[in-house]
Amino acid sequence: MNAKKMEGVIVAMNSCYDDRGRVAPETAAGLARWLVDKGVNGLYVGGGTGEGLLQSVEERQAVLEAVIGECGGEIPIIAHVGAMTTDAGAALAGHAEKAGADAVSAVPPFYYGYTEAAVRSHWQAIMDSCALPFIIYNVPASTGFAVSPEFLSSLCADKRLIGIKTTSFSTYELEQFKAVGGEAFAVYNGPDQQYLAGRVMGASGGIGGTYGAMPELFLAIERAYRNGNIEEARHWQIIVNRVITEIRALGLFGTVKELVRMRGIDCGAPRLPLPPLSPDALPRVHKLHEQIMNEIERAI
């Protein structure tokens, strides 16, 4: 699948656990179905929001299989296969191809302070382990490694690399990545708060976690942008940003999961050491849910 078919609102799916903290593939399938029915343009499975780095290889494989089994072929499914070890990343990529994913993506290796040569080798091994298109996940604040335009230019020699998700609040950097990759190269906006800004500066779309709590509002931004109505798109981005500010104040992972639960899909609590939602925060989350639903009524 080429990058042109993976545009717009791509939801970074929540992790799904049962009441004993075990991964719940059936719930993940249900969440995927709910998102597809809402009209999202793609799913990103096992990334940061999906808590893939807190799960075993086997758990991640089971979740991906469930999502693809539910809606594979309906919309693009990108499997995040980033891992602490190259062997694990390569194994996940090979499995993703067999399971029917449309592309794979990976953060750079992290914690030990890797050189560009080491990161190149790691990503090359992942690309060599399958025949799927590859999308870099650049998230310097979490990994400590920042992809530079120069480094990206050297990586683009491998045509299996079709895009980059970049999570930084610099749309200048996003634009520079697009310039390096060229017209056919996909750049995905990472920060949910700048979905519209990313689109205006050349992003193919966005991949984000708060999308899952209010997909209709991000789709409203995308629809207005595609129709050339930037003022309307800006209106919905401002609404979304107010919600995200409150979500982050209450605790990102626990709050998003509670909002999704209130919309009908119980994904369980975040996996430790990610903190659960504080019981004291519940009244504010419930009020936020009401605000979201009121805005959705206006958007659709």
Side-chain angles (χ1 to χ4, degrees), residues 82-128:
M84 284 287 286
T85 69
T86 301
D87 283 350
L92 285 164
H95 170 267
E97 181 178 16
K98 293 176 182 176
D102 296 290
V104 294
S105 177
V107 293
F110 52 94
Y111 183 79
Y112 288 104
Y114 295 99
T115 64
E116 287 186 348
V119 173
R120 181 195 301 275
S121 176
H122 179 77
W123 280 338
Q124 191 68 52
I126 289 173
M127 286 192 284
D128 289 343

mmCIF file of all heavy atoms in Angstrom, residues 82-128:
data_model
loop_
_atom_site.group_PDB
_atom_site.id
_atom_site.type_symbol
_atom_site.label_atom_id
_atom_site.label_comp_id
_atom_site.label_asym_id
_atom_site.label_seq_id
_atom_site.Cartn_x
_atom_site.Cartn_y
_atom_site.Cartn_z
ATOM 1 N N GLY A 82 8.155 -1.028 17.062
ATOM 2 C CA GLY A 82 9.320 -0.553 17.797
ATOM 3 C C GLY A 82 9.536 -1.375 19.059
ATOM 4 O O GLY A 82 8.587 -1.777 19.731
ATOM 5 N N ALA A 83 10.793 -1.624 19.388
ATOM 6 C CA ALA A 83 11.114 -2.473 20.527
ATOM 7 C C ALA A 83 12.510 -2.132 21.052
ATOM 8 O O ALA A 83 13.303 -1.490 20.351
ATOM 9 C CB ALA A 83 11.045 -3.947 20.129
ATOM 10 N N MET A 84 12.796 -2.594 22.254
ATOM 11 C CA MET A 84 14.101 -2.349 22.847
ATOM 12 C C MET A 84 15.214 -3.100 22.129
ATOM 13 O O MET A 84 16.360 -2.661 22.120
ATOM 14 C CB MET A 84 14.094 -2.763 24.327
ATOM 15 C CG MET A 84 13.391 -1.778 25.239
ATOM 16 S SD MET A 84 14.349 -0.266 25.494
ATOM 17 C CE MET A 84 15.637 -0.847 26.606
ATOM 18 N N THR A 85 14.878 -4.248 21.546
ATOM 19 C CA THR A 85 15.892 -5.032 20.848
ATOM 20 C C THR A 85 15.556 -5.143 19.369
ATOM 21 O O THR A 85 14.382 -5.143 18.975
ATOM 22 C CB THR A 85 16.013 -6.455 21.431
ATOM 23 O OG1 THR A 85 14.831 -7.202 21.109
ATOM 24 C CG2 THR A 85 16.210 -6.415 22.944
ATOM 25 N N THR A 86 16.584 -5.267 18.563
ATOM 26 C CA THR A 86 16.394 -5.409 17.131
ATOM 27 C C THR A 86 15.686 -6.712 16.797
ATOM 28 O O THR A 86 14.811 -6.758 15.915
ATOM 29 C CB THR A 86 17.755 -5.331 16.409
ATOM 30 O OG1 THR A 86 18.361 -4.069 16.712
ATOM 31 C CG2 THR A 86 17.593 -5.464 14.911
ATOM 32 N N ASP A 87 16.031 -7.782 17.494
ATOM 33 C CA ASP A 87 15.392 -9.073 17.225
ATOM 34 C C ASP A 87 13.891 -9.004 17.450
ATOM 35 O O ASP A 87 13.103 -9.545 16.656
ATOM 36 C CB ASP A 87 16.007 -10.161 18.112
ATOM 37 C CG ASP A 87 17.374 -10.624 17.623
ATOM 38 O OD1 ASP A 87 17.765 -10.240 16.504
ATOM 39 O OD2 ASP A 87 18.047 -11.366 18.367
ATOM 40 N N ALA A 88 13.474 -8.338 18.536
ATOM 41 C CA ALA A 88 12.046 -8.238 18.821
ATOM 42 C C ALA A 88 11.344 -7.399 17.758
ATOM 43 O O ALA A 88 10.253 -7.749 17.285
ATOM 44 C CB ALA A 88 11.814 -7.643 20.205
ATOM 45 N N GLY A 89 11.948 -6.279 17.357
ATOM 46 C CA GLY A 89 11.347 -5.447 16.325
ATOM 47 C C GLY A 89 11.203 -6.185 15.010
ATOM 48 O O GLY A 89 10.174 -6.095 14.333
ATOM 49 N N ALA A 90 12.234 -6.942 14.637
ATOM 50 C CA ALA A 90 12.188 -7.702 13.387
ATOM 51 C C ALA A 90 11.130 -8.799 13.460
ATOM 52 O O ALA A 90 10.402 -9.045 12.486
ATOM 53 C CB ALA A 90 13.558 -8.298 13.096
ATOM 54 N N ALA A 91 11.029 -9.455 14.603
ATOM 55 C CA ALA A 91 10.023 -10.508 14.763
ATOM 56 C C ALA A 91 8.615 -9.936 14.654
ATOM 57 O O ALA A 91 7.732 -10.523 14.005
ATOM 58 C CB ALA A 91 10.203 -11.216 16.101
ATOM 59 N N LEU A 92 8.392 -8.779 15.265
ATOM 60 C CA LEU A 92 7.079 -8.145 15.195
ATOM 61 C C LEU A 92 6.751 -7.714 13.768
ATOM 62 O O LEU A 92 5.605 -7.827 13.321
ATOM 63 C CB LEU A 92 7.038 -6.945 16.141
ATOM 64 C CG LEU A 92 6.935 -7.279 17.630
ATOM 65 C CD1 LEU A 92 7.309 -6.062 18.476
ATOM 66 C CD2 LEU A 92 5.532 -7.762 17.987
ATOM 67 N N ALA A 93 7.748 -7.230 13.045
ATOM 68 C CA ALA A 93 7.511 -6.809 11.661
ATOM 69 C C ALA A 93 7.168 -8.003 10.777
ATOM 70 O O ALA A 93 6.245 -7.934 9.949
ATOM 71 C CB ALA A 93 8.735 -6.083 11.123
ATOM 72 N N GLY A 94 7.904 -9.084 10.933
ATOM 73 C CA GLY A 94 7.602 -10.281 10.159
ATOM 74 C C GLY A 94 6.211 -10.796 10.444
ATOM 75 O O GLY A 94 5.475 -11.206 9.532
ATOM 76 N N HIS A 95 5.829 -10.766 11.713
ATOM 77 C CA HIS A 95 4.490 -11.200 12.086
ATOM 78 C C HIS A 95 3.435 -10.275 11.501
ATOM 79 O O HIS A 95 2.377 -10.723 11.034
ATOM 80 C CB HIS A 95 4.354 -11.245 13.610
ATOM 81 C CG HIS A 95 2.944 -11.442 14.082
ATOM 82 N ND1 HIS A 95 2.121 -10.374 14.395
ATOM 83 C CD2 HIS A 95 2.202 -12.562 14.260
ATOM 84 C CE1 HIS A 95 0.939 -10.830 14.761
ATOM 85 N NE2 HIS A 95 0.960 -12.152 14.682
ATOM 86 N N ALA A 96 3.701 -8.954 11.524
ATOM 87 C CA ALA A 96 2.730 -7.986 11.002
ATOM 88 C C ALA A 96 2.411 -8.260 9.538
ATOM 89 O O ALA A 96 1.263 -8.170 9.104
ATOM 90 C CB ALA A 96 3.261 -6.567 11.183
ATOM 91 N N GLU A 97 3.434 -8.595 8.776
ATOM 92 C CA GLU A 97 3.205 -8.914 7.367
ATOM 93 C C GLU A 97 2.321 -10.142 7.221
ATOM 94 O O GLU A 97 1.356 -10.157 6.446
ATOM 95 C CB GLU A 97 4.533 -9.133 6.659
ATOM 96 C CG GLU A 97 4.366 -9.456 5.179
ATOM 97 C CD GLU A 97 5.687 -9.632 4.450
ATOM 98 O OE1 GLU A 97 6.730 -9.809 5.115
ATOM 99 O OE2 GLU A 97 5.676 -9.617 3.211
ATOM 100 N N LYS A 98 2.634 -11.194 7.976
ATOM 101 C CA LYS A 98 1.843 -12.421 7.899
ATOM 102 C C LYS A 98 0.405 -12.196 8.357
ATOM 103 O O LYS A 98 -0.535 -12.807 7.835
ATOM 104 C CB LYS A 98 2.497 -13.507 8.741
ATOM 105 C CG LYS A 98 3.841 -13.981 8.196
ATOM 106 C CD LYS A 98 4.482 -14.998 9.121
ATOM 107 C CE LYS A 98 5.855 -15.437 8.604
ATOM 108 N NZ LYS A 98 6.548 -16.360 9.538
ATOM 109 N N ALA A 99 0.238 -11.311 9.339
ATOM 110 C CA ALA A 99 -1.102 -11.057 9.879
ATOM 111 C C ALA A 99 -1.963 -10.221 8.941
ATOM 112 O O ALA A 99 -3.188 -10.211 9.070
ATOM 113 C CB ALA A 99 -0.984 -10.361 11.236
ATOM 114 N N GLY A 100 -1.321 -9.492 8.016
ATOM 115 C CA GLY A 100 -2.087 -8.712 7.054
ATOM 116 C C GLY A 100 -2.070 -7.212 7.270
ATOM 117 O O GLY A 100 -2.925 -6.503 6.728
ATOM 118 N N ALA A 101 -1.088 -6.693 8.035
ATOM 119 C CA ALA A 101 -0.966 -5.247 8.214
ATOM 120 C C ALA A 101 -0.605 -4.582 6.893
ATOM 121 O O ALA A 101 -0.057 -5.215 5.985
ATOM 122 C CB ALA A 101 0.086 -4.931 9.274
ATOM 123 N N ASP A 102 -0.894 -3.295 6.784
ATOM 124 C CA ASP A 102 -0.606 -2.543 5.559
ATOM 125 C C ASP A 102 0.751 -1.860 5.596
ATOM 126 O O ASP A 102 1.301 -1.520 4.539
ATOM 127 C CB ASP A 102 -1.693 -1.502 5.334
ATOM 128 C CG ASP A 102 -3.052 -2.148 5.099
ATOM 129 O OD1 ASP A 102 -3.228 -2.762 4.035
ATOM 130 O OD2 ASP A 102 -3.920 -2.052 5.979
ATOM 131 N N ALA A 103 1.286 -1.632 6.776
ATOM 132 C CA ALA A 103 2.591 -0.994 6.927
ATOM 133 C C ALA A 103 3.077 -1.248 8.343
ATOM 134 O O ALA A 103 2.297 -1.637 9.232
ATOM 135 C CB ALA A 103 2.510 0.508 6.659
ATOM 136 N N VAL A 104 4.374 -1.054 8.560
ATOM 137 C CA VAL A 104 4.941 -1.123 9.906
ATOM 138 C C VAL A 104 5.617 0.204 10.220
ATOM 139 O O VAL A 104 6.017 0.960 9.321
ATOM 140 C CB VAL A 104 5.948 -2.285 10.073
ATOM 141 C CG1 VAL A 104 5.239 -3.625 9.947
ATOM 142 C CG2 VAL A 104 7.092 -2.182 9.086
ATOM 143 N N SER A 105 5.731 0.458 11.498
ATOM 144 C CA SER A 105 6.333 1.693 11.974
ATOM 145 C C SER A 105 7.136 1.375 13.228
ATOM 146 O O SER A 105 6.840 0.396 13.926
ATOM 147 C CB SER A 105 5.237 2.720 12.287
ATOM 148 O OG SER A 105 5.767 3.911 12.804
ATOM 149 N N ALA A 106 8.143 2.197 13.518
ATOM 150 C CA ALA A 106 8.954 1.927 14.712
ATOM 151 C C ALA A 106 9.626 3.185 15.221
ATOM 152 O O ALA A 106 10.118 4.004 14.442
ATOM 153 C CB ALA A 106 10.019 0.859 14.423
ATOM 154 N N VAL A 107 9.645 3.314 16.546
ATOM 155 C CA VAL A 107 10.500 4.306 17.180
ATOM 156 C C VAL A 107 11.943 3.831 17.044
ATOM 157 O O VAL A 107 12.198 2.648 16.807
ATOM 158 C CB VAL A 107 10.161 4.477 18.675
ATOM 159 C CG1 VAL A 107 8.790 5.086 18.862
ATOM 160 C CG2 VAL A 107 10.260 3.144 19.432
ATOM 161 N N PRO A 108 12.908 4.728 17.223
ATOM 162 C CA PRO A 108 14.294 4.275 17.277
ATOM 163 C C PRO A 108 14.535 3.506 18.566
ATOM 164 O O PRO A 108 13.757 3.624 19.520
ATOM 165 C CB PRO A 108 15.090 5.585 17.265
ATOM 166 C CG PRO A 108 14.162 6.592 17.837
ATOM 167 C CD PRO A 108 12.786 6.183 17.381
ATOM 168 N N PRO A 109 15.598 2.706 18.632
ATOM 169 C CA PRO A 109 15.959 2.105 19.911
ATOM 170 C C PRO A 109 16.278 3.225 20.904
ATOM 171 O O PRO A 109 16.710 4.312 20.509
ATOM 172 C CB PRO A 109 17.201 1.267 19.576
ATOM 173 C CG PRO A 109 17.767 1.907 18.350
ATOM 174 C CD PRO A 109 16.590 2.428 17.584
ATOM 175 N N PHE A 110 16.026 2.978 22.185
ATOM 176 C CA PHE A 110 16.135 4.074 23.146
ATOM 177 C C PHE A 110 16.818 3.630 24.447
ATOM 178 O O PHE A 110 17.211 2.479 24.591
ATOM 179 C CB PHE A 110 14.748 4.661 23.451
ATOM 180 C CG PHE A 110 13.736 3.617 23.859
ATOM 181 C CD1 PHE A 110 13.507 3.313 25.182
ATOM 182 C CD2 PHE A 110 13.006 2.932 22.889
ATOM 183 C CE1 PHE A 110 12.578 2.359 25.557
ATOM 184 C CE2 PHE A 110 12.068 1.970 23.242
ATOM 185 C CZ PHE A 110 11.862 1.685 24.585
ATOM 186 N N TYR A 111 16.985 4.528 25.338
ATOM 187 C CA TYR A 111 17.568 4.415 26.669
ATOM 188 C C TYR A 111 19.091 4.485 26.673
ATOM 189 O O TYR A 111 19.677 5.207 27.463
ATOM 190 C CB TYR A 111 17.111 3.128 27.390
ATOM 191 C CG TYR A 111 17.654 3.032 28.804
ATOM 192 C CD1 TYR A 111 17.057 3.749 29.846
ATOM 193 C CD2 TYR A 111 18.773 2.261 29.111
ATOM 194 C CE1 TYR A 111 17.574 3.683 31.142
ATOM 195 C CE2 TYR A 111 19.285 2.196 30.397
ATOM 196 C CZ TYR A 111 18.682 2.905 31.398
ATOM 197 O OH TYR A 111 19.194 2.849 32.681
ATOM 198 N N TYR A 112 19.762 3.762 25.776
ATOM 199 C CA TYR A 112 21.215 3.683 25.843
ATOM 200 C C TYR A 112 21.942 4.775 25.050
ATOM 201 O O TYR A 112 23.161 4.799 25.038
ATOM 202 C CB TYR A 112 21.693 2.296 25.374
ATOM 203 C CG TYR A 112 21.369 1.222 26.380
ATOM 204 C CD1 TYR A 112 20.308 0.344 26.170
ATOM 205 C CD2 TYR A 112 22.108 1.098 27.554
ATOM 206 C CE1 TYR A 112 20.004 -0.633 27.099
ATOM 207 C CE2 TYR A 112 21.803 0.127 28.490
ATOM 208 C CZ TYR A 112 20.754 -0.739 28.259
ATOM 209 O OH TYR A 112 20.444 -1.703 29.184
ATOM 210 N N GLY A 113 21.222 5.664 24.412
ATOM 211 C CA GLY A 113 21.867 6.745 23.698
ATOM 212 C C GLY A 113 22.558 6.288 22.424
ATOM 213 O O GLY A 113 23.789 6.348 22.303
ATOM 214 N N TYR A 114 21.755 5.836 21.460
ATOM 215 C CA TYR A 114 22.298 5.225 20.248
ATOM 216 C C TYR A 114 22.757 6.254 19.218
ATOM 217 O O TYR A 114 22.197 7.349 19.095
ATOM 218 C CB TYR A 114 21.241 4.316 19.616
ATOM 219 C CG TYR A 114 20.889 3.138 20.485
ATOM 220 C CD1 TYR A 114 19.757 3.165 21.283
ATOM 221 C CD2 TYR A 114 21.698 2.008 20.519
ATOM 222 C CE1 TYR A 114 19.432 2.077 22.091
ATOM 223 C CE2 TYR A 114 21.383 0.922 21.326
ATOM 224 C CZ TYR A 114 20.244 0.963 22.117
ATOM 225 O OH TYR A 114 19.939 -0.094 22.922
ATOM 226 N N THR A 115 23.763 5.894 18.455
ATOM 227 C CA THR A 115 24.252 6.719 17.356
ATOM 228 C C THR A 115 23.331 6.571 16.149
ATOM 229 O O THR A 115 22.516 5.641 16.062
ATOM 230 C CB THR A 115 25.666 6.298 16.942
ATOM 231 O OG1 THR A 115 25.615 4.950 16.442
ATOM 232 C CG2 THR A 115 26.637 6.366 18.122
ATOM 233 N N GLU A 116 23.488 7.464 15.186
ATOM 234 C CA GLU A 116 22.723 7.347 13.948
ATOM 235 C C GLU A 116 23.021 6.024 13.245
ATOM 236 O O GLU A 116 22.123 5.402 12.676
ATOM 237 C CB GLU A 116 23.027 8.522 13.024
ATOM 238 C CG GLU A 116 22.399 9.830 13.480
ATOM 239 C CD GLU A 116 22.596 10.948 12.469
ATOM 240 O OE1 GLU A 116 23.403 10.781 11.534
ATOM 241 O OE2 GLU A 116 21.932 11.998 12.621
ATOM 242 N N ALA A 117 24.269 5.595 13.296
ATOM 243 C CA ALA A 117 24.624 4.327 12.652
ATOM 244 C C ALA A 117 23.877 3.163 13.290
ATOM 245 O O ALA A 117 23.410 2.250 12.599
ATOM 246 C CB ALA A 117 26.134 4.095 12.726
ATOM 247 N N ALA A 118 23.754 3.189 14.613
ATOM 248 C CA ALA A 118 23.047 2.111 15.318
ATOM 249 C C ALA A 118 21.558 2.137 14.996
ATOM 250 O O ALA A 118 20.932 1.088 14.796
ATOM 251 C CB ALA A 118 23.267 2.237 16.823
ATOM 252 N N VAL A 119 20.984 3.344 14.949
ATOM 253 C CA VAL A 119 19.557 3.467 14.626
ATOM 254 C C VAL A 119 19.302 3.007 13.185
ATOM 255 O O VAL A 119 18.344 2.286 12.910
ATOM 256 C CB VAL A 119 19.077 4.914 14.827
ATOM 257 C CG1 VAL A 119 17.645 5.085 14.327
ATOM 258 C CG2 VAL A 119 19.161 5.300 16.305
ATOM 259 N N ARG A 120 20.189 3.391 12.281
ATOM 260 C CA ARG A 120 20.057 2.951 10.892
ATOM 261 C C ARG A 120 20.062 1.424 10.808
ATOM 262 O O ARG A 120 19.236 0.813 10.114
ATOM 263 C CB ARG A 120 21.199 3.520 10.050
ATOM 264 C CG ARG A 120 21.126 3.112 8.565
ATOM 265 C CD ARG A 120 22.455 3.396 7.862
ATOM 266 N NE ARG A 120 22.813 4.787 7.944
ATOM 267 C CZ ARG A 120 22.376 5.727 7.098
ATOM 268 N NH1 ARG A 120 21.582 5.385 6.111
ATOM 269 N NH2 ARG A 120 22.759 6.978 7.239
ATOM 270 N N SER A 121 20.985 0.801 11.501
ATOM 271 C CA SER A 121 21.095 -0.659 11.478
ATOM 272 C C SER A 121 19.828 -1.309 12.036
ATOM 273 O O SER A 121 19.337 -2.309 11.499
ATOM 274 C CB SER A 121 22.322 -1.087 12.273
ATOM 275 O OG SER A 121 22.414 -2.490 12.345
ATOM 276 N N HIS A 122 19.323 -0.744 13.122
ATOM 277 C CA HIS A 122 18.109 -1.265 13.763
ATOM 278 C C HIS A 122 16.920 -1.189 12.802
ATOM 279 O O HIS A 122 16.213 -2.183 12.580
ATOM 280 C CB HIS A 122 17.836 -0.439 15.026
ATOM 281 C CG HIS A 122 16.608 -0.825 15.785
ATOM 282 N ND1 HIS A 122 16.548 -1.929 16.599
ATOM 283 C CD2 HIS A 122 15.384 -0.239 15.857
ATOM 284 C CE1 HIS A 122 15.341 -2.012 17.151
ATOM 285 N NE2 HIS A 122 14.619 -0.999 16.711
ATOM 286 N N TRP A 123 16.697 -0.029 12.223
ATOM 287 C CA TRP A 123 15.570 0.134 11.299
ATOM 288 C C TRP A 123 15.763 -0.693 10.029
ATOM 289 O O TRP A 123 14.797 -1.223 9.476
ATOM 290 C CB TRP A 123 15.381 1.609 10.959
ATOM 291 C CG TRP A 123 14.639 2.368 12.026
ATOM 292 C CD1 TRP A 123 13.796 1.850 12.971
ATOM 293 C CD2 TRP A 123 14.656 3.778 12.254
ATOM 294 N NE1 TRP A 123 13.290 2.840 13.770
ATOM 295 C CE2 TRP A 123 13.793 4.042 13.350
ATOM 296 C CE3 TRP A 123 15.311 4.844 11.644
ATOM 297 C CZ2 TRP A 123 13.587 5.330 13.843
ATOM 298 C CZ3 TRP A 123 15.092 6.130 12.130
ATOM 299 C CH2 TRP A 123 14.243 6.366 13.220
ATOM 300 N N GLN A 124 16.994 -0.813 9.575
ATOM 301 C CA GLN A 124 17.249 -1.611 8.380
ATOM 302 C C GLN A 124 16.877 -3.069 8.614
ATOM 303 O O GLN A 124 16.284 -3.731 7.743
ATOM 304 C CB GLN A 124 18.724 -1.523 7.984
ATOM 305 C CG GLN A 124 19.049 -2.106 6.614
ATOM 306 C CD GLN A 124 18.453 -1.292 5.487
ATOM 307 O OE1 GLN A 124 18.638 -0.082 5.424
ATOM 308 N NE2 GLN A 124 17.718 -1.946 4.599
ATOM 309 N N ALA A 125 17.211 -3.585 9.804
ATOM 310 C CA ALA A 125 16.862 -4.969 10.131
ATOM 311 C C ALA A 125 15.354 -5.165 10.149
ATOM 312 O O ALA A 125 14.836 -6.204 9.706
ATOM 313 C CB ALA A 125 17.466 -5.356 11.478
ATOM 314 N N ILE A 126 14.624 -4.171 10.650
ATOM 315 C CA ILE A 126 13.164 -4.259 10.658
ATOM 316 C C ILE A 126 12.624 -4.255 9.230
ATOM 317 O O ILE A 126 11.763 -5.071 8.873
ATOM 318 C CB ILE A 126 12.566 -3.107 11.483
ATOM 319 C CG1 ILE A 126 12.856 -3.327 12.971
ATOM 320 C CG2 ILE A 126 11.062 -2.978 11.243
ATOM 321 C CD1 ILE A 126 12.450 -2.173 13.863
ATOM 322 N N MET A 127 13.132 -3.361 8.385
ATOM 323 C CA MET A 127 12.673 -3.319 7.001
ATOM 324 C C MET A 127 13.009 -4.608 6.254
ATOM 325 O O MET A 127 12.223 -5.080 5.434
ATOM 326 C CB MET A 127 13.285 -2.112 6.285
ATOM 327 C CG MET A 127 12.664 -0.791 6.690
ATOM 328 S SD MET A 127 13.136 0.609 5.621
ATOM 329 C CE MET A 127 14.802 0.916 6.203
ATOM 330 N N ASP A 128 14.177 -5.180 6.562
ATOM 331 C CA ASP A 128 14.597 -6.408 5.879
ATOM 332 C C ASP A 128 13.799 -7.630 6.310
ATOM 333 O O ASP A 128 13.837 -8.664 5.640
ATOM 334 C CB ASP A 128 16.088 -6.670 6.131
ATOM 335 C CG ASP A 128 16.991 -5.683 5.412
ATOM 336 O OD1 ASP A 128 16.509 -5.004 4.478
ATOM 337 O OD2 ASP A 128 18.180 -5.586 5.793
#
